[in-house]
Amino acid sequence: MYLFSTWGKKESSRLQMALRSLATRKTLTLGLNSRRLIQSRALQTFSLPDLPYDYGALEPAISGEIMQLHHQKHHQTYITNYNKALEQLHEAIQKGDSSTVVKLQSAIKFNGGGHINHSIFWQNLSPIREGGGEPPKGSLGWVIDTNFGSLEALIQKINAEGAALQGSGWVWLGLDKELKKLVIETTANQDPLVTKGPHLVPLLGIDVWEHAYYLQYKNVRPDYLKNIWKVINWKYASEVYEKESA
Ligand SMILES: [Fe+2]
């Protein structure tokens, strides 16, 4: 006030105009950045990650034919449909079409979940010559023994839950970061583990959809579950556990 009172009306008015102009420029800049952010989000698409091994490298536990179809066809289809749904979502938001925004949620959950789950699944597997099937070492091995009695007891429990899951879905070994303990969970369809609790982190997910085993094991899911442990990558699960439980 002192500043304005000692200035003439002209100076005071100029200062106020300058301040208004600065405020407007700030608003415009914020608006531009927001639009850029939305535009860059619209351009974000997901693509099929490479497998860290050859399709036939998990044989005889999982055939090369299954791996190729599972990766190139099934996982790719989830990604294609996820990208399509996200593009439609972006358009609907721009149009202010709330009904379509809500309608798209199930496609996003299903296809986005399919992409998330399969991306984890490929890393949960490893050829035997690269350590597949080797029991976990370090703190994860110790926690499994403490919580479940033994690795064999944990495997039996996961297999039982996976075999009992009706329809299609996943069986998980997860870390509950809040309760600081290991959990075994199942999810239906392509629901990621986080849908069972916001503090759950997947260490290991096993796909129990028929497309994961039917060509080799026909409809005998327990045989698939029994054999998959020969190529489970416990090193990966241990690394996630170390990172997330620190
Ligand atoms: Fe799958």
Side-chain angles (χ1 to χ4, degrees), residues 70 74-75 78 114 118 121-122 170 190 207-209 211-212:
H70 202 171
H74 292 280
H75 190 172
Y78 295 121
H118 286 87
F121 184 56
W122 309 133
W170 292 75
Q190 290 297 353
D207 188 344
V208 293
W209 280 60
H211 70 224

Side-chain angles (χ1 to χ4, degrees), residues 44-108:
Q44 170 75 53
T45 54
F46 294 90
S47 53
L48 189 65
D50 289 334
L51 290 191
Y53 37 76
D54 294 336
Y55 288 126
L58 303 179
E59 290 186 349
I62 305 177
S63 76
E65 187 185 16
I66 286 181
M67 288 304 294
Q68 186 168 5
L69 281 170
H70 202 171
H71 181 246
Q72 288 184 349
K73 302 293 180 193
H74 292 280
H75 190 172
Q76 180 61 63
T77 301
Y78 295 121
I79 291 170
T80 303
N81 292 335
Y82 186 33
N83 286 335
K84 203 166 110 189
L86 290 176
E87 197 183 319
Q88 289 170 344
L89 176 69
H90 175 64
E91 283 172 17
I93 290 170
Q94 280 190 322
K95 286 181 194 163
D97 180 355
S98 301
S99 166
T100 302
V101 168
V102 172
K103 196 177 86 181
L104 285 166
Q105 298 310 303
S106 64
I108 289 169

Side-chain angles (χ1 to χ4, degrees), residues 3 14 41 59 64 78 80 83 85 96-97 105 117 131 144 150 169 176-177 183 198 204 235 242:
L3 185 65
R14 273 183 193 155
R41 276 181 188 162
E59 290 186 349
Y78 295 121
T80 303
N83 286 335
D97 180 355
Q105 298 310 303
N117 293 345
I144 287 173
S150 67
D176 186 321
K177 287 185 75 167
V183 293
L204 171 62
K235 190 166 175 279
E242 298 284 347

